[in-house]
Amino acid sequence: MLDLTKKTKERVILVGAGEKFGKTDCSPCSDPIEELRLLADTAGAEVVGTVFQARSLVDVTYYIGKGKVQELKEEVERLGASTVIFDNDLAPAQVSNLEEFLDVKVIDRTGLILDIFALRAKTREAKTQVELAQLKYLLPRLTRRWTHLSRQVGGIGVRGPGETQLEVDRRRVRSRIAHLSGVLEKIDRQRSISRQKRSERFKAALVGYTNAGKSTLLNSLSGADVPVEDKLFKTLDSVTRLIRFKDAPDILLSDTVGFIRDLPHDLVASFKSTLDEVRDADVLLHVIDSTNPDWEEQSNVVNQVLGELGVTTVPIITIFNKIDLVDNLQFLLSLRSRYPDSIAVSSAQGTGLDILCEALKKAAMAGQITLTMDFGSDENALLREIYRHAVIRKTEGHGEIIRLTFTLPVSLARKLHLYDILSAKLEKS
């Protein structure tokens, strides 16, 4: 992990291996390691060099070829780097072999993402989720933590204590994993209760690649003051705000953690309670950064993660964000042609938000029913629920009787037994 307590930035070299690194187009828009560069910057590192290798087969010892490892070692010495970060996920043995050969710290993509999540976590829930994912990541990598014992004084005489210490360490990690899992199960139950209390309201969730502008959009739509920063993974905890419309039901809009390519599975599992906001939504707002040259790949990643979460039937409104930063009008026209149901907005400037609000209203009104009913003075509790959740269309007074025309979700009408009440009143009349 990167040492974020140091005042001076760690000097790191980025390494990418795979077929995509063999492309000859090296323009900034096609830099295959640009995202890793942004991740390293977010973690507080100074990138001093990059090393690529185009290969389809993985070396079981070093991941990259032996000749490339030697080249990497020379770059480490020449640039004075203290850390090497791979854009790939490495096996524990590969990390150990690389560190021994390079004599510097080696981190893979998953380790870097976990490190950033640890840096960003502020609430108790987020810290618990991140620690659990980190420990699950660490457990199979504990072996190399104790290899220094045999190197210092030889293997004979220290193998027993070394193995004993390793097993003690593993037991502690497993015990901590079990404890944190229990804590998260309790948090998940509490969240489920909170979601049940909000079940009557229409729920929308913002999803998208990290740094697509979801928090800015939430602020613009709801008037919230969620912190916004041009960094990856600024939002880890789900944030929910109420949006009120005069002519449509209120909407609960939730901002969620951003997705990213090769998001660690343990991290997805740990953030289950947070990501349940996505599963329980009535509609998803898929926010896409239209200024990013890799927006199509990022969009595919989001859809892939949604599939892994089992979110396949929830309606999706596609939103192309940051259009104020796009100079190519032809590009915007092509988006409109390819995605006719999408909405182009600028969260920062407010452009297109009126169109988005109309789309949200339309989604919220789907599955709604309008009723006209009379209520007596003995039905005040029911009236409070209707005034709280329904859109009141018309109010009339007839002595002690109040006649309301109102619109509300069909599911809520059933929950309040309005159909039964209405039928009973019609029978009496």
Side-chain angles (χ1 to χ4, degrees):
M1 300 290 175
L2 294 178
D3 188 352
L4 301 174
T5 62
K6 292 183 178 180
K7 292 184 179 180
T8 57
K9 291 186 175 183
E10 289 189 49
R11 295 171 62 84
V12 305
I13 292 178
L14 307 181
V15 180
E19 293 179 350
K20 69 177 181 179
F21 295 101
K23 296 179 179 178
T24 56
D25 181 3
C26 297
S27 64
C29 289
S30 63
D31 185 353
I33 213 164
E34 176 60 27
E35 184 173 89
L36 188 66
R37 194 186 306 274
L38 292 174
L39 287 169
D41 178 69
T42 301
E46 178 187 0
V47 178
V48 296
T50 57
V51 172
F52 300 149
Q53 184 173 45
R55 61 182 297 149
S56 56
L57 297 178
V58 173
D59 183 88
V60 294
T61 304
Y62 298 114
Y63 197 93
I64 54 178
K66 294 181 180 178
K68 188 61 68 170
V69 175
Q70 181 59 45
E71 177 187 329
L72 178 58
K73 182 177 179 66
E74 294 171 0
E75 284 293 283
V76 166
E77 296 172 351
R78 183 178 71 84
L79 298 171
S82 59
T83 305
V84 171
I85 304 177
F86 275 71
D87 192 40
N88 315 89
D89 283 336
L90 305 176
Q94 290 169 335
V95 174
S96 179
N97 294 334
L98 285 164
E99 286 189 337
E100 185 172 0
F101 187 87
L102 300 174
D103 198 27
V104 294
K105 183 167 45 180
V106 175
I107 302 173
D108 64 6
R109 181 182 176 84
T110 292
L112 179 59
I113 292 175
L114 290 172
D115 194 64
I116 294 171
F117 268 64
L119 174 66
R120 293 297 194 191
K122 303 299 180 185
T123 66
R124 172 174 168 266
E125 180 180 3
K127 290 178 179 179
T128 302
Q129 291 169 324
V130 172
E131 184 183 354
L132 178 60
Q134 284 183 314
L135 289 176
K136 288 181 177 179
Y137 172 79
L138 175 65
L139 186 59
R141 291 164 173 79
L142 284 175
T143 302
R144 67 186 179 90
R145 308 284 177 174
W146 299 99
T147 53
H148 65 281
L149 291 174
S150 59
R151 284 205 300 266
Q152 285 179 347
V153 294
I156 299 175
V158 298
R159 290 172 183 163
E163 288 299 312
T164 301
Q165 181 60 62
L166 179 57
E167 287 305 316
V168 168
D169 205 46
R170 282 174 174 166
R171 281 196 296 272
R172 287 175 178 171
V173 172
R174 290 192 184 102
S175 176
R176 184 64 177 167
I177 287 175
H179 170 72
L180 293 175
S181 297
V183 171
L184 285 181
E185 286 179 5
K186 183 177 180 181
I187 291 174
D188 191 29
R189 288 194 296 269
Q190 293 171 343
R191 276 186 170 272
S192 296
I193 294 173
S194 298
R195 283 193 293 270
Q196 289 174 4
K197 292 180 179 178
R198 309 196 303 255
S199 61
E200 297 85 0
R201 295 190 185 275
F202 187 85
K203 298 177 291 297
L206 293 161
V207 297
Y209 212 78
T210 181
N211 210 31
K214 299 185 301 298
S215 297
T216 303
L217 184 57
L218 176 69
N219 289 343
S220 299
L221 289 173
S222 67
D225 55 353
V226 177
V228 175
E229 186 179 352
D230 189 20
K231 293 283 187 180
L232 304 182
F233 300 116
K234 179 59 180 175
T235 301
L236 292 190
D237 297 283
S238 61
V239 179
T240 302
R241 295 292 183 267
L242 181 66
I243 302 178
R244 294 188 179 277
F245 296 118
K246 292 182 179 179
D247 54 350
D250 296 340
I251 292 177
L252 287 173
L253 180 61
S254 297
D255 187 13
T256 60
V257 61
F259 300 154
I260 196 170
R261 174 174 58 85
D262 299 327
L263 191 64
H265 291 290
D266 286 337
L267 204 53
V268 174
S270 297
F271 274 73
K272 176 185 178 299
S273 59
T274 302
L275 293 172
D276 275 344
E277 297 289 349
V278 176
R279 294 188 183 95
D280 292 340
D282 298 298
V283 66
L284 299 179
L285 307 185
H286 181 180
V287 184
I288 299 172
D289 181 0
S290 59
T291 66
N292 194 301
D294 296 322
W295 66 267
E296 286 187 279
E297 179 183 349
Q298 293 182 351
S299 177
N300 292 334
V301 168
V302 172
N303 292 328
Q304 179 183 343
V305 176
L306 290 176
E308 292 172 359
L309 294 174
V311 183
T312 56
T313 59
V314 180
I316 296 178
I317 298 175
T318 302
I319 301 169
F320 287 98
N321 193 22
K322 306 183 184 181
I323 61 170
D324 56 308
L325 302 178
V326 178
D327 297 327
N328 189 343
L329 179 60
Q330 190 60 41
F331 170 70
L332 295 178
L333 292 175
S334 68
L335 289 180
R336 171 68 66 180
S337 176
R338 292 175 59 188
Y339 304 92
D341 295 329
S342 66
I343 300 172
V345 307
S346 167
S347 300
Q349 302 295 328
T351 307
L353 295 187
D354 53 340
I355 301 175
L356 177 55
C357 285
E358 289 301 318
L360 276 173
K361 290 180 186 179
K362 183 178 179 180
M365 291 299 293
Q368 302 277 319
I369 187 171
T370 299
L371 298 172
T372 298
M373 295 179 61
D374 293 338
F375 298 93
S377 57
D378 59 337
E379 296 176 295
N380 289 333
L382 181 58
L383 273 172
R384 281 195 297 270
E385 289 298 311
I386 291 173
Y387 276 115
R388 180 184 176 189
H389 298 296
V391 176
I392 308 301
R393 304 294 183 183
K394 187 177 181 181
T395 304
E396 299 175 275
H398 302 280
E400 294 184 357
I401 301 298
I402 296 178
R403 176 168 292 177
L404 287 183
T405 300
F406 55 93
T407 302
L408 78 172
V410 172
S411 59
L412 180 57
R414 290 196 180 97
K415 183 176 181 180
L416 297 176
H417 305 290
L418 293 182
Y419 297 120
D420 298 335
I421 295 172
L422 183 58
S423 296
K425 289 183 177 183
L426 288 174
E427 288 179 4
K428 286 183 180 180
S429 61

